[in-house]
Amino acid sequence: AHFGSTESATPTAAPAEETPKETDTAAVERNEAPAVAEKAEQEITVGDLPDVTTVTEITTVKEYKDAIAKGPVLLDCYASWCGPCIQLAPKLEKLAAEYPHVTFLKFDVDEHDEEIEEDELADEIQGLPTLIFYKDGKIVDKAGANIDKLEEKAIAHFGSTESATPTAAPAEETPKETDTAAVERNEAPAVAEKAEQEITVGDLPDVTTVTEITTVKEYKDAIAKGPVLLDCYASW
C-alpha cells in the first residue's frame, strides 16, 4: 500500500468454485437431519470452537499465594498490551494441556501493578512475559518468551509428557567424495567439499539492511525524506 508491490509477490490464486450444498432431500435419504448435513459442510471457525482454557487467570496477590502454596505451578506474568505475551498465550495453553498435574496460572501484572509492588513478586519480574516455576510455594526456575527453552524447563521440572514425540534417529551421513572424484569433474577439491557442508548462521556474512539509530536527532534526520519504515523495539 505504501511502498508498492515487489517482483517476488506471489499472484493471488483464483478462488475455488463453490460446491453446491446438497438439498435437504439428499440428507434425508442418508437418514441425516438436514441441519446436521448442512453444518457438516460449513468451514469450522474459531467462533465455533468452545471457550475452554487450561490456564487459570488470577486477579489478586492472595489468589496467587494460595495457588502456588502446594504442588508444581507455572505462573505467567503478562500484560494485555505485550506482543510476546500474546504470541506465547496459545503455546502456553497447549503446554498446560500436556501437563494436567501442573497448575498453570496467568496474572496481568500491569493491571494489578499497585498491589504487586507491595509483594515480593515484583522483584521477580524483570520483563514481560516472565514465567515462574514453583514447587510447594518456592521458586525453582524462571523463563521468558522463548518457547523452546520454556519446554526444556517444563520437562526438567515437571517430567516428560505422554504426548512427547520420540526423537527420530539421525539420518546416515553420506560419505564425502574423494579429491580424485572432484578433479575428474574439473572441480577444485576444496570447492567440492565446501558444497557438501551444511550452511549455518555462522557461515553467513554479518550484513544487515536495517539501520540502527540511537538518538532522536538521527531518527528525525532519517525520516525527513522518502519512504521510511521505523521499528520501535526493545532488546528484551
Side-chain angles (χ1 to χ4, degrees):
H2 299 291
F3 304 149
S5 61
T6 66
E7 293 180 1
S8 60
T10 306
T12 305
E17 295 184 3
E18 184 177 352
T19 305
K21 292 182 179 178
E22 65 181 352
T23 62
D24 286 357
T25 305
V28 172
E29 288 176 353
R30 295 207 317 273
N31 295 322
E32 295 179 2
V36 174
E38 182 177 358
K39 181 65 178 176
E41 293 177 1
Q42 293 179 354
E43 181 180 359
I44 296 175
T45 64
V46 174
D48 295 324
L49 301 176
D51 186 16
V52 176
T53 180
T54 50
V55 180
T56 303
E57 179 88 24
I58 56 176
T59 57
T60 67
V61 170
K62 183 181 184 303
E63 285 181 346
Y64 145 71
K65 290 190 173 180
D66 290 344
I68 68 169
K70 188 175 181 181
V73 176
L74 181 58
L75 173 66
D76 173 21
C77 300
Y78 78 101
S80 59
W81 47 261
C82 167
C85 302
I86 295 169
Q87 292 178 336
L88 182 67
K91 298 173 183 177
L92 199 61
E93 291 282 355
K94 181 177 180 295
L95 197 64
E98 295 174 350
Y99 291 95
H101 66 290
V102 178
T103 301
F104 281 74
L105 307 171
K106 58 183 178 181
F107 199 177
D108 189 334
V109 295
D110 181 61
E111 184 176 346
H112 306 283
D113 60 334
E114 292 183 3
E115 184 181 6
I116 290 172
E117 282 179 2
E118 300 176 0
D119 188 82
E120 63 271 14
L121 177 61
D123 297 332
E124 305 299 335
I125 304 170
Q126 303 300 323
L128 295 177
T130 293
L131 294 109
I132 308 175
F133 293 79
Y134 292 90
K135 183 66 182 293
D136 294 331
K138 296 181 179 180
I139 296 176
V140 294
D141 209 343
K142 291 197 294 185
N146 188 313
I147 187 62
D148 293 331
K149 293 198 172 175
L150 179 61
E151 289 175 343
E152 287 176 6
K153 292 188 176 188
I155 292 173
H157 297 293
F158 303 148
S160 59
T161 66
E162 293 181 359
S163 60
T165 305
T167 305
E172 293 183 4
E173 185 178 352
T174 304
K176 292 183 179 179
E177 65 182 351
T178 62
D179 286 357
T180 305
V183 172
E184 289 176 352
R185 295 205 315 271
N186 296 321
E187 295 178 3
V191 174
E193 183 177 357
K194 183 64 178 177
E196 293 178 2
Q197 293 179 356
E198 181 181 359
I199 296 176
T200 64
V201 175
D203 295 325
L204 300 177
D206 187 16
V207 176
T208 179
T209 52
V210 181
T211 303
E212 179 86 19
I213 56 175
T214 56
T215 67
V216 172
K217 183 180 183 303
E218 287 180 346
Y219 148 71
K220 288 187 175 181
D221 290 344
I223 66 170
K225 189 176 181 181
V228 176
L229 180 59
L230 174 66
D231 174 21
C232 301
Y233 79 101
S235 58
W236 50 263

